[in-house]
Each structure stands twice: as structure tokens, then as C-alpha cells.
């Protein structure tokens, strides 16, 4: 113990002494710029066309294997989603090893292994090299395509598609690809429930046979292994891979929009707007402008300190973040784009500010210090990534597949450092074409469209074109539909009562008990809700078996319990709880007002203002409640929280929504109701 104490004291004294010698008024000198040297890989080609690159690196006792298939992209048409399903099934067991046994062995080895139709990656300690390459080959060459796995993956893919139907981000990405590339382009086509249901086991097996071929395949084996050993193992396990060439059906030409335009998609439930400003570009890694283009994008929107993020986040507080990207592709033209999520109220201003920043980098010289800092930070990220085995493998493959000189990465740092202010302006005008920008906006039209239609830039009005969630041209939504004669707030509520079972039936309900579940971040959320006609209510949210939040009101007082903290209701919250705590709160509302007709996902709805903070929406045809929006105050801001209701089912003569979706920022949580009990399962003890 004495020895340990002495050591600690000595260490602290040494640290204090060294610290005292540092002159903090002088900036430390930078060390020498590191060089990136991938080394000259040992390269050989097998008879089936597979090219192998071996990079020996004895620093750590591990080996990594990276396989890349350099096939031309093709559309999948009415069976879009086939490649995704093939990739999901590959690596989940083989024809010789069950899925569970396969996964257990990879875990036991402490290894990583992933395969798909475009290639794969594996890594393990070098003492397991033989086995991990054998497993990698088995997973790649002997995938076990079964009807059971196909049905499972189709179900998961369809669930993902359905979840995306309510996501402004998913809708915006689908629409910008469809409009920017065209729906017959491999990037522009999208997966639907119908195309997934079209996929058969025969389609999966055929796609694998046609596309998982070695003629354009490259494998990089790096780490603690010799070239001779790598060749021995590859020849042993990958010789059975039959030679073949993937099909190529040609790629449609991609063109910019004819003129600057806003492509608007109305999502009535949206609480934020998704904004994408894009134009077609044609950047390739082999271009002389490549390095300057990377730096220009980094300055414009590729980093936290970029023009666009500093403007939208730091200066105006419109968003939590905004970024730009400038992809490269040797097979087809790609799209430069700026993306962000913003509050409805500032959607139009966001569009204008993005265009201003694009114009700025095209017309003004970048500041010397900004350019210096951008190059330094960009290269810092680049050098840090260069330590990763997978990055080294990808770069080795890029040199082969992108028609790059052998010293491309050895000279990369010097070429980034050589980028000038003139280069930035030149490539900005080449790749950031705001004159023909396609501005995709997905949001709540009743809140944002009026101001979007007023936008002018460079003294020109930007026209607004309307599209649906799949990029099909549509008519402008009618937000000022005339209210039919005789329709009032009370008549709308009466229609709702009738639609769900009748007022007389509803008045027999003294208590309600409901349970529901929702998938959330790989786990599940549980919901338990109880209400009575005595103004009592309790809502409990469970994450697995643990209670994440509990909200209780006993008719007089209430509280919120979260993370072990109990917060009593304020007078305002008590007032709101008394109005809402009822199995059917609308029955006792005498102050409702009719606020017009608005579109919703499946038609039109009457907007009924129930209180200062809550508005409910009732379908004009069915009378059913389809949505509620409640205004909550957080940090001095008013934030709308939307809850959608659908999939009504009858319980004891009364219809209840069995799908309840709540917005949580940009994310939606979709609860599925599991049980509804009327006049049972509720006692006064529940509200203590």
C-alpha cells in the first residue's frame, strides 16, 4: 500500500512540474504531417476472375477480409427489394451450418462477419484466420435461402416500409430520388409493399446466382498474415465459386430540373418540415477537381462549422443541424444535396438561407483562415480513418475499381493542402448549381405552403409544384374548403359519438382499461391507460419490464413520475387534467369550436378546437377521430405533439382505435392496442 501511495504522489508531483513548465500563451507547434502509405499489396487473380490483394501488417494479431463486387447497378422493377432481401438472408446460416450454430461460433471466436449481395467483411484474431475465412466463404458461397427466412425478411421489410409512411425524412428521401433520378433508375426506384409481395424464393435464388459472381470481385486480406498463407486459404475455400458476369441493363440518363423549383409534398401530420436542396452533379474520384470538390463541400455543409450549419443552427436556431453531401459514382451522375429538419414556422426562411449560402460560396472568396481550418479538420478525419483495417481495404479496392493511380492516397494529403480559394469558387460553380436547384419540401401544407409560395430569390419567384408521397404529380391541397351548411362543432362531435357506438352507449361507460405495445429502438414500449368518469386517469409507459414514466390524476391532484423523480401537477395542469380525464372527454366539452376543414392522410377532417392547447380532427366521411394535436411548452417554445388514431375495432358495441401513433420529434411511435376493458379492471387504488 505504501509503495502505491508513494508512486501516486510521485506521479502527481511530476505532472505538476511538467504543467508548470508549459507556456500556455504560446500555441503548440504542429508535428509533421503524417504520410498515408497503403503499401504495395501482393496481388493475384484466380481462374474464376476473383482478384485478391494481400496487405501484410504485423502490428496487431488480427486479420480482416473485405470482399467487394464491382457490378453495374440495375433496376429491380416490380420486384424492387430483392437485393435487400438476398443480403439480409446471406450470413444467417449456410447449407452446412444452421443460423444459430453459425452465429454462436462467430461470437465464440470474438469475430465479426457480415455478407451481402455486394460483398462482405470479416475480422478475427489471427489465430482464428483459417476458420474465419472458411466461415466467410461458406456464408458467401452457400447461403441457405429458405421460404421461412424469405417470409421473415419480407415481413420485416414491409413493416419498415409502413413505418416510413409517416416519416417526413423517409418520404423526402424517396421523393427526391424519384424526381432527381427518375423511377426507372436504380437509385430512383423505391420499394413498396406490393413489390416485396411479388418476390418469390425463385427470384431470390436467381438474383443471387446472377449477381453474386467473381468476375468483377475484389478481396482484400490484411493484417497478421503472409501472402502465401492468404493465397493458400483463398484457393482452398473460394475455388468452388463459379465464374460468371453480372448482367447490365443500362442506366437512364439523369438531368437537372429545367429551372429552380420547390417540389412540395403535403404530410398533414408533420410537426417538422424536411428540406432537401439538390442538383445533379457528375463527380468521380478520378477527376482533377475531386480534392477541391471535397474541401468545397466541407466548407459549405460538410462539417459542424460549415456555412450552412452555422447559418441555420447557430445564427438563426432553425434546426439542430444541417449538412450537405457531394457523392461520387463512376457509373452514373449523382446529386449534390443539402438536408435539414426545421420547425414549420421557418420552412420558407430555411430555403432562402440555404440558397444564400450556396450563392455565397459560388460568388465570394472563402476566408483564408476558414480554408486553412477546413483543410486541417478534413485531413484530421481522413488520417484518423486511415487507422482502420476496413478503410485500408476499401481504399485498396478503390484504386483498382475507380481507375486511380497507385499513389492516389500517398498524394492525397498534399493535394488537399494545395486547394486554393480560386479552386473552391471554381468547383462550387461546377457542382453546386442553385440555378436549377430542385428543392424538395415535405411538411404540413396548411402551416407552410402559403409562405413557400411567396419565396423569391435573386428577384425571381420560385414556383411550387405539388407531388404525392411517391413522387407523382398531384393537385395543390385545398386548405380552405367550404364548411357544409349546418355543420357545427357540436354536430361534428355528435357524428363522432354516433360513429363509435352512440351517445347512449358511451354514457354507460364508467371506466376504461387499455394496454398497448410499440417497437422502440430494438425493444418495445408498453402502455397502460386507465380512466374513469370521476376525472381519474393514469398512464404508465414501460420500457421492457421497467416503468419509464407514470402520470397520475386522482380527480383532484396529480403528479408525473419519471426516472425516480416525482413532480406534482401545477394548477394549470390540474385544470387541463380535469378536462381530459374521462373515458370520452368530448362528451363533457361544451366550449368546442369548429376551425375549418383540413386534409389528413386518408381524406379530409373537421378541425375542432377543444381547448386553448388541444385540437382534434374528425374525418368528414366516417366521423371518426383521426388525430389530436396538443401544444406543449418546453424551454419557452410551443411544440405541437400529434397523436393519430386508426384501425378502429368494436369492443362491446363501441369502436376504439387499435393503432395509436405519437410523434416524438422527427420519430413516430406506433402503438398497437392489445386489450380494452370496459367497466372492469379499474379501482380507486390505481390513482394513488
Amino acid at each position: 500500500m505504501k509503495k502505491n501511495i508513494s508512486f501516486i504522489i510521485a506521479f502527481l508531483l511530476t505532472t505538476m512540474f511538467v504543467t508548470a513548465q508549459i507556456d500556455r500563451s504560446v500555441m503548440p507547434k504542429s508535428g509533421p504531417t503524417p504520410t498515408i502509405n497503403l503499401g504495395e499489396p501482393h496481388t493475384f487473380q484466380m481462374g474464376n476472375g476473383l482478384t485478391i490483394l494481400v496487405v501484410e501488417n504485423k502490428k496487431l494479431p488480427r486479420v480482416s477480409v473485405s470482399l467487394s463486387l464491382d457490378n453495374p447497378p440495375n433496376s429491380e422493377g416490380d420486384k424492387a427489394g430483392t437485393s435487400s432481401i438476398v443480403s439480409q438472408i446471406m450470413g444467417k446460416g449456410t447449407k452446412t451450418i444452421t443460423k444459430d450454430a453459425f452465429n454462436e461460433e462467430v461470437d465464440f471466436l470474438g469475430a465479426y462477419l457480415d455478407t451481402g449481395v455486394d460483398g462482405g467483411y470479416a475480422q478475427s484474431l489471427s489465430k482464428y484466420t483459417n476458420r474465419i475465412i472458411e466461415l466467410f466463404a461458406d456464408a458467401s458461397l452457400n447461403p441457405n435461402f429458405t421460404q421461412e427466412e424469405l417470409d421473415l425478411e419480407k415481413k420485416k421489410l414491409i413493416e419498415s416500409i409502413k413505418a416510413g409512411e409517416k416519416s417526413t425524412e423517409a418520404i423526402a428521401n424517396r421523393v427526391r430520388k424519384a424526381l432527381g433520378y427518375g423511377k426507372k433508375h436504380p437509385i430512383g426506384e423505391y420499394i413498396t409493399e406490393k413489390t416485396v409481395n411479388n418476390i418469390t424464393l425463385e427470384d431470390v435464388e436467381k438474383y443471387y446466382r446472377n449477381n453474386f459472381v467473381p468476375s468483377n470481385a475484389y478481396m482484400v486480406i490484411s493484417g497478421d498474415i503472409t501472402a502465401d498463407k492468404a493465397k493458400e486459404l483463398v484457393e482452398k475455400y473460394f475455388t468452388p465459386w463459379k465464374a460468371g458476369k453480372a448482367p447490365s441493363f443500362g442506366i437512364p440518363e439523369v438531368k437537372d430540373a429545367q429551372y429552380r423549383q420547390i417540389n412540395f409534398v403535403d404530410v398533414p401530420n408533420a410537426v417538422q418540415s424536411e428540406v432537401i436542396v439538390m442538383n445533379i452533379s457528375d463527380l468521380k474520384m478520378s477527376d482533377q477537381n475531386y480534392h477541391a470538390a471535397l474541401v468545397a463541400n466541407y466548407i459549405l455543409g460538410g462539417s459542424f462549422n460549415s456555412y450552412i450549419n452555422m447559418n441555420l443552427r447557430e445564427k438563426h436556431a432553425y434546426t439542430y443541424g444541417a449538412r450537405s453531401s457531394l457523392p461520387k459514382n463512376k457509373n452514373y451522375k449523382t446529386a449534390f444535396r443539402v438536408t435539414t429538419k426545421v420547425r414549420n414556422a421557418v420552412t420558407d426562411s430555411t430555403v432562402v438561407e440555404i440558397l444564400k449560402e450556396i450563392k455565397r460560396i459560388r460568388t465570394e472568396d472563402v476566408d483564408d483562415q476558414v480554408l486553412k481550418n477546413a483543410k486541417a479538420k478534413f485531413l484530421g478525419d481522413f488520417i484518423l480513418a486511415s487507422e482502420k483495417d476496413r478503410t485500408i481495404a476499401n481504399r485498396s479496392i478503390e484504386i483498382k475499381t475507380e481507375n486511380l493511380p497507385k499513389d492516389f492516397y500517398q498524394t492525397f494529403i498534399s493535394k488537399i493542402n494545395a486547394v486554393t480559394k480560386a479552386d473552391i469558387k471554381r468547383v462550387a460553380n461546377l457542382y453546386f448549381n442553385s440555378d436549377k436547384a430542385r428543392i424538395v419540401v415535405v411538411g404540413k401544407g396548411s402551416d407552410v405552403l402559403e409562405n413557400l409560395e411567396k419565396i423569391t430569390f435573386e428577384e425571381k419567384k420560385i414556383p411550387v409544384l405539388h407531388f404525392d408521397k411517391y413522387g407523382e404529380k398531384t393537385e395543390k391541397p385545398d386548405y380552405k374548403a367550404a364548411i357544409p351548411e349546418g355543420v357545427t362543432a357540436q354536430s361534428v362531435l355528435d357524428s363522432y359519438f354516433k360513429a363509435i357506438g352512440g351517445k347512449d352507449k358511451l354514457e354507460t361507460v364508467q371506466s376504461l382499461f387499455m394496454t398497448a405495445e410499440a417497437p422502440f429502438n430494438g425493444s418495445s414500449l408498453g402502455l397502460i391507460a386507465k380512466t374513469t368518469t370521476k376525472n381519474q386517469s393514469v398512464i404508465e409507459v414501460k420500457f421492457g419490464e421497467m416503468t419509464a414514466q407514470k402520470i397520475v390524476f386522482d380527480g383532484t391532484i396529480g403528479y408525473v413520475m419519471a426516472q425516480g423523480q416525482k413532480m406534482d401537477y401545477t394548477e394549470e395542469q390540474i385544470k387541463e387534467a380535469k378536462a381530459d380525464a374521462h373515458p370520452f372527454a368530448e362528451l363533457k366539452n361544451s366550449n368546442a369550436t369548429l376551425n375549418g376543414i383540413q386534409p389528413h392522410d386518408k381524406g379530409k377532417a373537421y378541425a375542432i378546437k377543444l381547448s386553448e392547447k388541444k385540437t382534434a380532427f374528425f374525418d368528414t366521411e366516417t366521423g371518426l377521430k383521426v388525430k389530436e394535436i396538443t401544444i406543449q411548452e418546453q424551454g419557452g417554445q410551443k411544440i405541437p405533439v400529434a397523436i393519430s388514431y386508426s384501425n378502429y375495432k368494436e369492443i362491446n358495441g363501441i369502436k376504439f382505435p387499435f393503432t395509436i401513433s405519437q410523434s416524438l420529434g422527427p420519430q413516430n411511435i406506433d402503438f398497437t392496442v392489445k386489450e380494452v376493458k370496459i367497466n372492469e379492471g379499474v379501482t380507486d387504488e390505481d390513482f394513488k
Side-chain angles (χ1 to χ4, degrees), residues 170-461:
I171 293 168
N173 278 317
R174 179 169 61 230
V175 171
R176 65 102 177 158
K177 290 178 182 178
L179 297 180
Y181 293 90
K183 296 179 183 178
K184 294 185 179 180
H185 192 283
I187 303 301
E189 73 175 1
Y190 50 80
I191 303 170
T192 68
E193 185 174 352
K194 182 178 180 181
T195 65
V196 173
N197 283 327
N198 287 340
I199 299 169
T200 66
L201 187 60
E202 183 181 355
D203 295 324
V204 168
E205 292 170 337
K206 181 179 178 182
Y207 190 94
Y208 169 80
R209 287 195 306 271
N210 290 344
N211 291 276
F212 200 84
V213 290
S215 58
N216 291 316
Y218 296 83
M219 179 180 288
V220 177
I221 302 177
S222 59
D224 185 14
I225 188 172
T226 65
D228 289 341
K229 181 65 174 178
K231 184 175 183 180
E232 174 192 331
L233 292 174
V234 172
E235 288 180 343
K236 180 177 181 180
Y237 295 117
F238 283 90
T239 295
W241 197 0
K242 294 182 180 179
K245 188 175 182 180
S248 177
F249 304 117
I251 301 173
E253 180 66 18
V254 179
K255 296 181 180 179
D256 261 321
Q258 290 183 317
Y259 50 85
R260 184 188 297 138
Q261 57 187 257
I262 294 172
N263 299 159
F264 182 72
V265 180
D266 184 31
V267 178
N269 290 338
V271 294
Q272 286 183 309
S273 294
E274 193 82 19
V275 179
I276 301 177
V277 179
M278 61 182 287
N279 65 261
I280 301 303
S281 64
D282 191 16
L283 181 66
K284 295 174 174 57
M285 290 187 74
S286 56
D287 292 344
Q288 289 186 346
N289 292 318
Y290 180 69
H291 300 83
L294 293 180
V295 180
N297 179 69
Y298 196 81
I299 292 171
L300 176 62
S303 66
F304 181 87
N305 292 313
S306 65
Y307 285 2
I308 289 172
N309 196 56
M310 287 295 102
N311 181 320
L312 298 184
R313 175 187 164 110
E314 300 301 303
K315 181 179 179 181
H316 289 107
Y318 290 167
T319 179
Y320 287 113
R323 291 291 187 271
S324 69
S325 60
L326 182 60
K328 42 80 179 172
N329 196 285
K330 66 176 184 176
N331 294 305
Y332 52 80
K333 292 180 180 178
T334 59
F336 159 76
R337 60 187 180 272
V338 179
T339 60
T340 189
K341 295 179 178 68
V342 297
R343 292 176 285 116
N344 291 344
V346 298
T347 303
D348 55 313
S349 301
T350 297
V351 171
V352 173
E353 294 303 321
I354 291 174
L355 293 175
K356 282 182 181 178
E357 295 300 344
I358 295 175
K359 180 179 180 180
R360 174 186 173 193
I361 200 169
R362 283 163 54 97
T363 58
E364 299 178 14
D365 284 337
V366 63
D367 180 82
D368 288 331
Q369 192 61 44
V370 169
L371 177 59
K372 181 180 178 180
N373 290 344
K375 290 193 287 189
K377 291 175 182 176
F378 180 87
L379 287 176
D381 294 339
F382 171 81
I383 293 167
L384 198 62
S386 300
E387 298 296 320
K388 300 176 182 177
D389 288 348
R390 196 162 191 173
T391 301
I392 295 171
N394 289 339
R395 289 175 181 172
S396 298
I397 292 171
E398 283 173 342
I399 290 172
K400 290 287 185 181
T401 59
E402 297 281 349
N403 192 29
L404 303 176
K406 290 183 178 180
D407 65 350
F408 180 84
Y409 282 106
Q410 290 173 280
T411 62
F412 189 92
I413 293 175
S414 62
K415 288 184 177 180
I416 291 292
N417 280 326
V419 173
T420 66
K421 294 190 290 186
D423 291 331
I424 297 297
K425 187 185 292 184
R426 176 175 53 80
V427 297
N429 279 276
L430 187 61
Y431 296 110
F432 312 149
N433 187 359
S434 60
D435 298 336
K436 293 186 176 182
R438 185 184 298 277
I439 304 161
V440 177
V441 179
V442 178
K444 186 178 180 180
S446 58
D447 286 353
V448 307
L449 189 54
E450 182 178 352
N451 286 333
L452 284 176
E453 292 176 334
K454 296 176 182 177
I455 293 178
T456 59
F457 187 73
E458 296 178 332
E459 300 182 350
K460 294 180 182 178
K461 191 170 184 179

Side-chain angles (χ1 to χ4, degrees), residues 6-241:
S6 300
F7 174 80
I8 293 169
I9 292 172
F11 173 78
L12 290 174
L13 288 173
T14 304
T15 304
M16 290 168 62
F17 176 77
V18 172
T19 303
Q21 304 308 306
I22 296 174
D23 185 352
R24 297 187 181 279
S25 66
V26 179
M27 182 178 292
K29 292 182 179 180
S30 300
T33 302
T35 58
I36 303 300
N37 188 358
L38 298 180
E40 183 65 30
H42 182 86
T43 305
F44 63 94
Q45 190 173 51
M46 295 180 63
N48 57 15
L50 173 63
T51 300
I52 294 90
L53 299 85
V54 184
V55 181
E56 295 187 34
N57 183 353
K58 305 290 186 177
K59 289 181 180 179
L60 294 172
R62 69 185 183 199
V63 168
S64 65
V65 183
S66 182
L67 176 66
S68 178
L69 274 62
D70 188 34
N71 293 331
N74 291 310
S75 297
E76 296 173 19
D78 63 355
K79 296 190 178 184
T82 304
S83 60
S84 176
I85 287 176
V86 171
S87 291
Q88 288 300 318
I89 297 177
M90 289 179 68
K92 293 184 177 179
T94 73
K95 291 177 181 177
T96 61
I97 309 175
T98 66
K99 178 169 64 175
D100 290 342
F102 186 91
N103 293 336
E104 285 175 8
E105 182 167 6
V106 172
D107 288 343
F108 176 77
L109 297 177
Y112 175 86
L113 195 158
D114 180 53
T115 58
V117 75
D118 295 321
Y121 183 79
Q123 187 180 78
S124 76
L125 293 173
S126 52
K127 64 181 179 179
Y128 300 129
T129 298
N130 289 33
R131 184 55 177 160
I132 201 66
I133 291 180
E134 182 180 11
L135 288 171
F136 188 73
D138 198 17
S140 300
L141 307 185
N142 302 304
N144 191 25
F145 297 119
T146 66
Q147 189 63 47
E148 181 182 5
E149 287 294 335
L150 173 60
D151 292 341
L152 176 62
E153 293 303 330
K154 286 171 69 171
K155 181 182 178 182
K156 288 163 60 176
L157 188 53
I158 289 172
E159 286 175 353
S160 175
I161 292 168
K162 288 180 177 179
E165 290 305 300
K166 298 173 184 177
S167 163
T168 54
E169 182 176 2
I171 293 168
N173 278 317
R174 179 169 61 230
V175 171
R176 65 102 177 158
K177 290 178 182 178
L179 297 180
Y181 293 90
K183 296 179 183 178
K184 294 185 179 180
H185 192 283
I187 303 301
E189 73 175 1
Y190 50 80
I191 303 170
T192 68
E193 185 174 352
K194 182 178 180 181
T195 65
V196 173
N197 283 327
N198 287 340
I199 299 169
T200 66
L201 187 60
E202 183 181 355
D203 295 324
V204 168
E205 292 170 337
K206 181 179 178 182
Y207 190 94
Y208 169 80
R209 287 195 306 271
N210 290 344
N211 291 276
F212 200 84
V213 290
S215 58
N216 291 316
Y218 296 83
M219 179 180 288
V220 177
I221 302 177
S222 59
D224 185 14
I225 188 172
T226 65
D228 289 341
K229 181 65 174 178
K231 184 175 183 180
E232 174 192 331
L233 292 174
V234 172
E235 288 180 343
K236 180 177 181 180
Y237 295 117
F238 283 90
T239 295
W241 197 0

